[in-house]
Amino acid sequence: MYLFKKIGYLSLLVLFAACTVRPLYYQNSLESKNSKSFIQISAIQERLGQELRNMLIERLHFISELNNSILLQVNLAYESTGIGYNQDLSSSVMRITLTAKTTISNKKGFLKTLTTEKSDIVTIPGSIYASIVNEEDIKRKILREIANDIIQRITALQKDIQ
């Protein structure tokens, strides 16, 4: 038993020795020089919009050099429609549709408007909590699809934007 305690303490010591501690707002000087933003994404309304904006910021780091910075403006619309009903006329199946209208512009006068519409079906169980969780999961899935579509379109237009 004593040997197991020593081995446990030794393994914890090795584990914590591998960790580094740095301040909360630490910035590496090399990373801060290379993190010049060539794509500016304006704020998007509502919580879903901010999550979409964060996904785009996180995934658009591969565009490292542009002659002029570009501005993305995204309007996000949410719609849910009941398509299956229980005997008490409550929805049992719902279609969730998110539509993103993206405007890409730069200082040279390039202007392009793209529309992306994605939808999915969510089953609503009897539990209120489970139905909320199902709906939120489907919304996140649709947001990832929209973010991927916007990024693919920006990548395809990258030469036109410059």
Side-chain angles (χ1 to χ4, degrees):
M1 187 70 175
Y2 180 70
L3 182 62
F4 291 121
K5 278 187 177 181
K6 279 200 168 209
I7 291 173
Y9 289 136
L10 183 61
S11 62
L12 283 175
L13 180 66
V14 170
L15 180 68
F16 288 132
C19 296
T20 58
V21 177
R22 61 180 189 205
L24 182 62
Y25 298 105
Y26 172 79
Q27 287 185 351
N28 187 350
S29 60
L30 294 176
E31 289 178 6
S32 62
K33 288 179 184 176
N34 295 334
S35 67
K36 183 178 178 186
S37 177
F38 291 96
I39 298 180
Q40 298 172 354
I41 303 172
S42 60
I44 308 171
Q45 298 295 320
E46 302 295 331
R47 180 181 174 115
L48 286 175
Q50 287 304 309
E51 289 180 21
L52 176 62
R53 182 178 185 271
N54 291 340
M55 287 179 193
L56 290 173
I57 289 172
E58 179 182 303
R59 296 178 186 180
L60 284 173
H61 63 84
F62 66 90
I63 298 180
S64 58
E65 293 183 13
L66 290 173
N67 296 336
N68 291 324
S69 61
I70 62 172
L71 174 67
L72 286 178
Q73 294 179 328
V74 181
N75 293 326
L76 190 65
Y78 167 78
E79 180 183 349
S80 63
T81 309
I83 57 175
Y85 296 98
N86 293 325
Q87 291 178 352
D88 63 351
L89 297 180
S90 62
S91 294
S92 62
V93 179
M94 187 169 46
R95 178 182 300 279
I96 296 176
T97 305
L98 291 174
T99 306
K101 187 175 182 183
T102 308
T103 304
I104 305 170
S105 62
N106 67 7
K107 293 179 182 177
K108 286 185 174 180
F110 178 82
L111 183 66
K112 184 86 173 172
T113 303
L114 312 168
T115 303
T116 304
E117 182 175 298
K118 301 283 181 182
S119 64
D120 206 345
I121 296 173
V122 61
T123 303
I124 302 172
S127 168
I128 295 173
Y129 176 75
S131 65
I132 291 171
V133 170
N134 282 350
E135 187 176 344
E136 292 299 315
D137 286 345
I138 294 297
K139 287 178 189 177
R140 300 302 170 281
K141 178 185 171 213
I142 295 171
L143 279 180
R144 284 192 299 274
E145 291 174 1
I146 287 176
N148 289 338
D149 189 57
I150 291 172
I151 290 167
Q152 287 174 354
R153 289 179 175 201
I154 289 173
T155 304
L157 292 172
Q158 191 171 355
K159 292 192 183 216
D160 296 337
I161 294 170
Q162 294 183 17

